[in-house]
């Protein structure tokens, strides 16, 4: 069996396949869009299945009118100062804040992660994106990655977490693909129980 695996890997390398194809771990599972209601008395909710457990996303408005999103797991709420708050107030009443949430699974560890990206309806405008998940040790929902903490060239926003050949990337994504600019590959480190990252060529996400 091992000889067959080694032959397969050798064949891929001989054919010039990039190393990324040998590490297909992160797979998209499900996506949801939560449009924040106009009224602070209304709440939208989306539940994701993590095996036999659930992750709940609750979206609504604060009394001050700001949209807010809270992730819940096993009854543990994010603290208010670390919740997924977005203080965005569209001037056009016909525009709404929408949160795009994608569930990702690491097939190596069986862990689930969620990329959360707020956007404005009828607009190409995006804001920072976050990668969150449930921290079993801390027993809370943890923010692992926030795009605003990463360097981006002038005029290029890093606003999307995407998968390609099983790898996880943080980059500018628009018009159906990654745009040229700074691209980071996100790497889960089981020993540190956290994500590491490295800057890579934009061409890696198109190979």
């Amino acid at each position: 069996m091992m000889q067959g695996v080694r032959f397969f890997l050798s064949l891929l390398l001989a054919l010039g396949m990039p190393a990324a194809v040998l590490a297909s771990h992160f797979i998209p599972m499900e996506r949801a869009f939560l449009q924040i209601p106009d009224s602070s008395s209304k709440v939208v909710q989306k539940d994701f299945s993590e095996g036999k457990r659930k992750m709940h996303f609750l979206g609504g408005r604060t009394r001050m009118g700001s949209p807010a999103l809270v992730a819940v797991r096993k009854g543990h709420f994010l603290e208010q100062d670390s919740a997924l708050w977005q203080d965005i107030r569209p001037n056009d009443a016909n525009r709404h804040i929408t949160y795009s949430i994608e569930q990702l699974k690491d097939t190596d560890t069986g862990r689930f992660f969620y990329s959360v990206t707020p956007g404005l309806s009828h607009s190409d405008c995006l804001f920072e994106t976050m990668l969150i998940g449930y921290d079993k040790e801390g027993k809370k929902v943890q923010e692992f990655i926030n795009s605003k903490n990463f360097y981006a060239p002038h005029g290029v926003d890093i606003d999307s977490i995407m998968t390609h050949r099983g790898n996880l990337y943080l980059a500018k994504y628009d018009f159906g693909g990654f745009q040229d600019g700074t691209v980071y590959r996100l790497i889960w480190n089981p020993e540190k129980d956290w994500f590491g990252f490295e800057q890579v060529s934009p061409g890696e996400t198109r190979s």
Side-chain angles (χ1 to χ4, degrees):
M1 179 66 180
M2 284 301 298
Q3 289 181 345
V5 173
R6 289 178 184 144
F7 172 78
F8 178 68
L9 295 180
S10 300
L11 180 62
L12 288 177
L13 292 173
L15 292 174
M17 298 296 287
V21 78
L22 306 179
S24 297
H25 307 305
F26 292 94
I27 57 175
M29 301 293 291
E30 189 177 355
R31 180 184 287 272
F33 294 91
L34 290 185
Q35 181 170 300
I36 301 301
D38 294 331
S39 172
S40 60
S41 63
K42 298 179 181 179
V43 174
V44 290
Q45 178 172 335
K46 172 61 181 177
D47 296 342
F48 288 90
S49 174
E50 294 187 350
K52 296 181 180 179
R53 298 172 179 168
K54 297 282 188 181
M55 176 77 88
H56 312 285
F57 286 86
L58 306 175
R61 288 187 176 273
T62 65
R63 293 183 179 179
M64 298 298 294
S66 300
L69 185 70
V70 178
V72 190
R73 170 73 183 275
K74 295 177 63 177
H76 295 280
F77 285 80
L78 286 171
E79 300 294 334
Q80 181 166 331
D81 60 355
S82 63
L84 308 178
W85 300 94
Q86 295 291 333
D87 188 13
I88 307 163
R89 298 185 178 92
N91 295 324
D92 187 345
N94 294 320
R95 290 189 174 185
H96 306 280
I97 300 298
T98 300
Y99 287 95
S100 172
I101 306 170
E102 184 171 27
Q103 184 188 55
L104 304 165
K105 183 178 182 180
D106 177 6
T107 56
D108 281 352
T109 64
R111 295 189 63 146
F112 291 86
F113 300 94
Y114 300 86
S115 65
V116 182
T117 306
L120 195 59
S121 65
H122 309 296
S123 170
D124 293 331
C125 182
L126 293 174
F127 308 94
E128 72 255 24
T129 191
M130 290 157 280
L131 187 65
I132 69 173
Y134 185 73
D135 178 10
K136 294 180 181 179
E137 296 295 327
K139 295 183 178 180
K140 65 178 181 178
V141 178
Q142 177 70 58
E143 179 185 294
F144 291 102
I145 297 291
N146 193 316
S147 64
K148 68 182 180 182
N149 297 327
F150 286 75
Y151 165 77
H154 179 69
V156 177
D157 296 323
I158 293 183
D159 56 22
S160 294
I161 292 173
M162 303 295 296
T163 58
H164 180 69
R165 294 187 182 274
N167 286 305
L168 203 56
Y169 297 93
L170 176 63
K172 173 68 178 178
Y173 188 82
D174 202 3
F175 301 110
F178 283 111
Q179 302 302 296
D180 288 334
T182 300
V183 176
Y184 294 96
R185 182 167 58 206
L186 307 176
I187 306 165
W188 178 252
N189 187 329
E191 294 182 359
K192 296 184 179 297
D193 200 37
W194 206 264
F195 278 93
F197 62 91
E198 61 179 336
Q199 187 174 338
V200 298
S201 166
E204 179 176 312
T205 64
R206 296 191 291 270
S207 60

